[in-house]
Every structure is written in C-alpha cells, then in structure tokens.
C-alpha cells in the first residue's frame, strides 16, 4: 500500500516528512489543527490513520524507521487529544447513565447495545438496498475489516493472565483458529473480490470520508494506549454484541441482491461466532476486568458507547445519501459507466 493522498495542511506536512528517508536530525514537526468536529475532520482523520498504520502493515513508500520517531508521536498526540475529547464529550450522558445504574455490568452493557438509538444499516441492507449500495457498504467497511481484530490484539500483553486467556480465545477465532483461509480479514478480502471490489489492503482509504476512517482510528487509539485498555475492551464488547443479528441481516441482503455465497460468508461466519463472542467479551472479559479493577468501569463503558456512536454516525451518513439516491463513495462499477 502507498501512503494515502493528503487532505489538508496537517496531512500534507506529515506525509511530506515521512516520504523522505528517516532523518533523526530533522527536528520537530509543527502542525496547526483546524477548529471544528475532529471526528469529521478529513485532514485529522487521514493523518491519524496513516500514523497508526506505521504500526500495522505500513506503506511501501515510507521508511520503516519512522515508526517511533518522536516528532511523529508528538503530532499523533496532538491529533489524538481532540479526537478522544470529542468522543468522550459525545457519549458523556450515556456513559453516566450506564455507570450509575445498578446491576451486573455485563447486563447493563447488553442493555446499552440493545437499546442504543441509531438508524439500522443492517435492516436497510436486508430489505431495501440496491446492489450498488451493498457494494458501497462493503468498500467502506474494508478500511477496518481488512485489519479486523488487530487493534484489539495490542491489548493482550497489557492484561492479567485470566483475562488475557479469554481475549486470546476470542482473538484465536478472529484469526481463523489456525486456518489461514478462515482468518476473518481473509474472509472479508474474499467477499470484496467476489463482489467485484478491490481487496488490497487500504484500497479505499483515499475514497472514504472522515467518519469511516474514524471508526478504524478509534480502535487503534484505544488499542495502542495502555491507559485506554479498558476502552478497547469495551469497544470489542460493543462490536461483538452488535454483530450476530445484524450479520444475519447483512447476509440476507447480500443474497437478496444477487451476490454469491462467498460474499455473504464473512457475515454468515459472524452470526454464530459472535453469539458466543458477545458473551465472552462482555461477561468473561469486560465484567471480569472491572471486577478486578473497579476504577476501569467508566472506560469500559466509554469504549462501548464510542463504538456505538461512531457506528450510528456512519450508518446515518450512508442512509442519508442512499435516501437521496446518491452515494458517499460511488462503487467502482458505477464509476466505470462514463459515457463515451
Ligand atoms: Fe470477526
Ligand atoms: Fe467476533
């Protein structure tokens, strides 16, 4: 994958720097952030996405020596702070309601994920979406799904053995249980190919809006900071607890619009797996973590609500465009239909 295109002054400055060979004497990198909502800020989100990516598979045109460059970590912190603040601000009332409520934490988190208000992308895909809308949904999700599970894996060494064992059990399934073709990332790549889309890692990063990048960036933010480990696990819990039933709907919509079984298979796989994973994540991991360290409860709930809120914003964005018979990102087959 090549470095994405810059979307403003911050990404321009950062990308110009990392396209050069690492120079330990290059000195600080000064950037100035725009005002406005960090979650929807294209320049901020694409820069953050690229800086995080240095820790994953990185870019063929970027020197690997940049990964821990102090000037990049300083910029990253400058971008993460307003992003995290905005997320915390947005979910403050829901977090307070769940943290202050009586009862078992896992039950409260299940109640939160069941009752969270937001437009249902799964219902639309199941019943109404066109083929092009299904393709568009798949291409947005590719930004995260092709690295599915990786951001939560950063948390493993940060946990005590009992909770670590449960997280590894869950992640083992995400990584295919020892079968390379069943790694969920690989299942997603297969779905993309069968749906006529580009399955190469990061293929659609240049096309998607800030909100799609923010979905991926929030998991990296939580995963890469030890202090946010509880938020990462709360995020994982929310992902798992909102997956099984929606995935059944996504699979039905994919078949309804005439795509082949391999496109639906990624979602089929999550129907049963995540019915198990949601119990493991919320009861075996999140609730047990908080039992051992009660001070982490608010961050578990923060991670879960941040996930739900970003997903709701993403769904609203797509559904609004589709209601107007438009696309946020036109799927490639349509783009190819340019009149001669
Ligand atoms: Fe998965
Ligand atoms: Fe899962």
């Amino acid at each position: 994958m090549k470095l994405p295109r810059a979307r403003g002054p911050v990404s321009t400055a950062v990308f110009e720097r990392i396209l050069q060979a690492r120079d330990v004497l290059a000195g600080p990198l000064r950037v100035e952030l725009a005002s406005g909502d960090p979650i929807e800020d294209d320049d901020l989100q694409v820069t953050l996405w690229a800086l995080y990516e240095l820790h994953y598979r990185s870019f063929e045109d970027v020197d690997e020596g940049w990964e821990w460059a102090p000037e990049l970590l300083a910029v990253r912190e400058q971008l993460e702070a307003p992003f995290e603040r905005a997320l915390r601000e947005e979910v403050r009332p829901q977090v307070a309601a769940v943290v202050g409520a009586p009862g078992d934490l896992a039950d409260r988190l299940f109640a939160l994920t069941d009752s969270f208000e937001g437009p249902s992308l799964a219902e639309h895909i199941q019943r109404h979406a066109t083929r092009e809308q299904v393709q568009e949904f798949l291409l947005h999700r590719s930004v995260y799904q092709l690295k599915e599970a990786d951001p939560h894996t950063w948390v493993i060494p940060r946990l005590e053995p009992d909770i670590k064992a449960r997280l590894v059990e869950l992640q083992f399934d995400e990584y295919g249980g020892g079968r390379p073709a069943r790694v969920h990332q690989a299942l997603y790549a297969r779905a993309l190919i069968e749906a006529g889309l580009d399955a190469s890692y990061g293929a659609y990063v240049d096309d998607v809006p800030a909100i799609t990048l923010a979905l991926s960036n929030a998991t990296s933010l939580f995963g890469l900071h030890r202090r946010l480990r509880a938020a990462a696990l709360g995020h994982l819990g929310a992902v798992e607890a909102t997956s099984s039933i929606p995935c059944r709907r996504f699979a039905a919509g994919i078949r309804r619009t005439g795509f082949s079984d391999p496109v639906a298979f990624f979602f089929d796989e999550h129907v049963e797996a995540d019915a198990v994973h949601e119990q493991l994540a919320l009861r075996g991991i999140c609730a047990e973590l908080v039992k051992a360290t009660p001070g982490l409860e608010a961050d578990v709930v923060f991670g879960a609500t941040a996930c739900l809120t970003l997903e709701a914003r993403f769904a609203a964005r797509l559904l609004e465009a589709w209601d107007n018979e438009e696309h946020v990102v036109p799927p490639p087959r349509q783009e190819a239909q340019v009149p001669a």
Side-chain angles (χ1 to χ4, degrees), residues 257-306:
T257 47
F259 287 104
S260 62
D261 282 342
V263 182
F265 188 70
F266 171 87
F267 298 93
D268 294 339
E269 181 80 357
H270 284 80
V271 173
E272 275 181 37
D274 288 348
V276 177
H277 288 173
E278 64 181 13
Q279 297 295 330
L280 187 54
L282 290 184
R283 296 195 192 282
I285 297 173
C286 291
E288 291 301 314
L289 178 79
V290 172
K291 228 177 257 170
T293 316
L296 293 176
E297 178 172 337
D299 260 7
V300 167
V301 181
F302 163 55
T305 45

Side-chain angles (χ1 to χ4, degrees), residues 145 148-149 173-175 184-185 239-240 243 266 269-270 273-274 277:
Q145 246 45 79
E148 184 188 343
D173 286 347
E174 302 293 342
Y175 290 125
H184 289 184
Q185 299 170 3
V239 168
E240 300 294 350
S243 172
F266 171 87
E269 181 80 357
H270 284 80
D274 288 348
H277 288 173

Side-chain angles (χ1 to χ4, degrees), residues 103-110 159-167 169 229-230 233-234 237 278-297 300:
D104 177 70
L105 176 62
D107 290 341
R108 281 181 278 143
L109 289 168
F110 273 118
L159 300 170
E160 295 300 316
D162 54 342
I163 298 174
K164 181 179 301 196
R166 295 190 181 114
L167 179 56
E169 182 189 345
R229 65 198 178 284
L233 296 178
E278 64 181 13
Q279 297 295 330
L280 187 54
L282 290 184
R283 296 195 192 282
I285 297 173
C286 291
E288 291 301 314
L289 178 79
V290 172
K291 228 177 257 170
T293 316
L296 293 176
E297 178 172 337
V300 167

Side-chain angles (χ1 to χ4, degrees), residues 13-335:
V14 171
F15 295 178
E16 270 175 11
R17 176 72 65 99
I18 63 177
L19 280 170
Q20 297 165 32
R22 168 86 200 277
D23 175 2
V24 289
L25 300 175
L29 189 54
R30 303 209 187 281
V31 295
E32 229 169 278
L33 297 185
S35 55
D37 180 3
I39 298 170
E40 303 278 352
D41 183 330
D42 275 288
D43 195 22
L44 182 152
Q45 293 296 342
V46 80
T47 311
L48 207 45
W49 191 88
L51 290 173
Y52 286 144
E53 198 52 42
L54 299 177
H55 302 290
Y56 294 98
R57 299 195 213 172
S58 202
F59 307 98
E60 59 204 70
D61 48 352
V62 173
D63 181 343
E64 291 184 332
W66 284 113
E67 183 179 359
W68 297 103
E71 66 265 42
L72 295 187
L73 297 181
V75 170
R76 203 180 88 183
E77 194 171 24
Q78 209 186 327
L79 306 178
E80 286 173 326
F83 181 38
E84 184 184 340
R85 245 193 331 267
L87 287 173
R88 286 191 185 276
E89 200 48 52
E90 181 137 342
V91 301
R92 194 178 303 281
Q94 292 106 317
V95 172
V98 176
V99 171
D104 177 70
L105 176 62
D107 290 341
R108 281 181 278 143
L109 289 168
F110 273 118
L112 171 79
T113 53
D114 287 347
S115 64
F116 201 85
E117 303 231 346
S120 175
L121 209 44
E123 198 182 326
H124 180 86
I125 299 262
Q126 180 184 11
R127 300 187 196 286
H128 311 292
T130 64
R131 274 177 75 86
E132 289 73 24
Q133 289 169 353
V134 170
Q135 280 183 309
E136 186 185 354
F137 166 72
L138 292 171
L139 76 81
H140 280 274
R141 298 243 63 126
S142 72
V143 172
Y144 176 71
Q145 246 45 79
L146 292 175
K147 67 155 74 105
E148 184 188 343
D150 292 343
H152 300 112
T153 297
W154 299 121
V155 184
I156 293 171
R158 300 183 169 140
L159 300 170
E160 295 300 316
D162 54 342
I163 298 174
K164 181 179 301 196
R166 295 190 181 114
L167 179 56
V168 169
E169 182 189 345
L170 195 159
Q171 295 296 80
F172 185 64
D173 286 347
E174 302 293 342
Y175 290 125
R179 293 163 294 175
R182 299 296 283 257
V183 176
H184 289 184
Q185 299 170 3
L187 295 180
Y188 202 82
R190 178 90 199 276
L192 290 168
I193 292 167
E194 296 288 334
L197 295 163
D198 189 343
S200 39
Y201 186 81
Y204 294 104
V205 168
D206 276 339
D207 304 317
V208 298
I211 183 65
T212 307
L213 299 173
L215 285 170
S216 172
N217 286 340
T219 57
S220 295
L221 168 71
F222 298 157
L224 282 165
H225 291 270
R226 184 188 142 74
R227 73 178 172 85
L228 293 172
R229 65 198 178 284
L233 296 178
H235 182 283
L236 174 67
V239 168
E240 300 294 350
T242 52
S243 172
S244 181
I245 294 167
C247 278
R248 190 186 297 279
R249 293 180 151 183
F250 288 131
I254 285 166
R255 292 194 170 92
R256 178 184 59 76
T257 47
F259 287 104
S260 62
D261 282 342
V263 182
F265 188 70
F266 171 87
F267 298 93
D268 294 339
E269 181 80 357
H270 284 80
V271 173
E272 275 181 37
D274 288 348
V276 177
H277 288 173
E278 64 181 13
Q279 297 295 330
L280 187 54
L282 290 184
R283 296 195 192 282
I285 297 173
C286 291
E288 291 301 314
L289 178 79
V290 172
K291 228 177 257 170
T293 316
L296 293 176
E297 178 172 337
D299 260 7
V300 167
V301 181
F302 163 55
T305 45
C307 171
L308 298 169
T309 288
L310 290 172
E311 288 290 348
R313 272 207 198 193
F314 168 69
R317 185 72 185 277
L318 288 194
L319 291 172
E320 192 188 320
W322 294 348
D323 270 354
N324 295 322
E325 297 187 0
E326 289 168 359
H327 288 283
V328 178
V329 179
R333 279 182 185 174
Q334 287 210 333
E335 271 183 348

